[in-house]
């Protein structure tokens, strides 16, 4: 789980979706927006389109959040970052999700 001090509150989602930049890969997409703080905040969204069964959605969230927690020191500070899982993400292994997550962060320029 992402620590509470590193989570995005629901108040910022509309602004991120409206003004944020986005990138996409086959099973994940990312939206990010510069914030005025010296800390990066994260969120992971897995809709019911991915799976109607909540434990399966939570598995994807846990995997992405685990990757973010492990690499949070490698991510530039001062951004809102939202990951969206796409249908088919459930069929991916942890290593495949890790590769796509880090690849999206690298392409967006958020990795140091």
């Amino acid at each position: 789980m992402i620590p509470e001090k590193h989570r995005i509150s629901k108040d910022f989602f509309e602004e991120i979706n409206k003004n944020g930049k986005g990138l996409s890969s086959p099973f994940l997409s990312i939206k990010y927006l510069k914030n005025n703080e010296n800390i990066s905040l994260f969120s992971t969204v897995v809709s019911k389109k991915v799976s109607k069964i909540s434990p399966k959605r939570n598995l994807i969230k846990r995997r992405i959040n685990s990757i973010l927690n492990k690499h949070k020191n490698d991510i530039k500070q001062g951004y809102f970052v939202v990951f969206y899982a796409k249908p088919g993400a459930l069929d991916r292994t942890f290593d495949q999700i890790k590769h796509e997550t880090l690849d999206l962060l690298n392409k967006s320029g958020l990795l140091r």
Side-chain angles (χ1 to χ4, degrees):
M1 178 179 272
I2 297 174
E4 195 166 332
K5 67 179 183 176
H6 290 285
R7 282 188 231 154
I8 299 173
S9 73
K10 293 181 181 181
D11 303 336
F12 295 109
F13 270 87
E14 187 175 327
E15 182 182 350
I16 295 167
N17 284 327
K18 186 176 181 182
N19 301 323
K21 297 178 182 177
L23 289 172
S24 187
S25 69
F27 300 101
L28 290 175
S29 61
I30 184 176
K31 280 269 192 177
Y32 60 98
L33 181 66
K34 183 92 170 129
N35 66 25
N36 296 328
E37 302 177 27
N38 60 352
I39 189 168
S40 286
L41 303 175
F42 304 96
S43 184
T44 306
V45 178
V46 183
S47 75
K48 287 187 178 180
K49 290 180 182 178
V50 176
S51 175
K52 293 190 187 311
I53 302 167
S54 63
K56 291 183 179 184
R57 291 194 307 270
N58 292 339
L59 175 67
I60 296 170
K61 282 185 188 181
R62 284 194 311 271
R63 287 178 175 182
I64 294 171
N65 292 343
S66 169
I67 295 162
L68 292 174
N69 279 333
K70 190 176 245 184
H71 295 279
K72 67 183 169 198
N73 294 331
D74 300 332
I75 298 171
K76 291 182 182 177
Q77 298 302 307
Y79 287 90
F80 294 122
V81 183
V82 181
F83 281 90
Y84 295 93
K86 295 180 181 179
L90 192 57
D91 302 329
R92 299 288 157 225
T93 64
F94 180 82
D95 288 334
Q96 290 170 322
I97 291 174
K98 179 180 178 181
H99 177 72
E100 280 195 38
T101 302
L102 295 176
D103 191 46
L104 283 173
L105 287 169
N106 191 32
K107 286 180 181 177
S108 65
L110 296 176
L111 275 184
R112 296 180 193 177

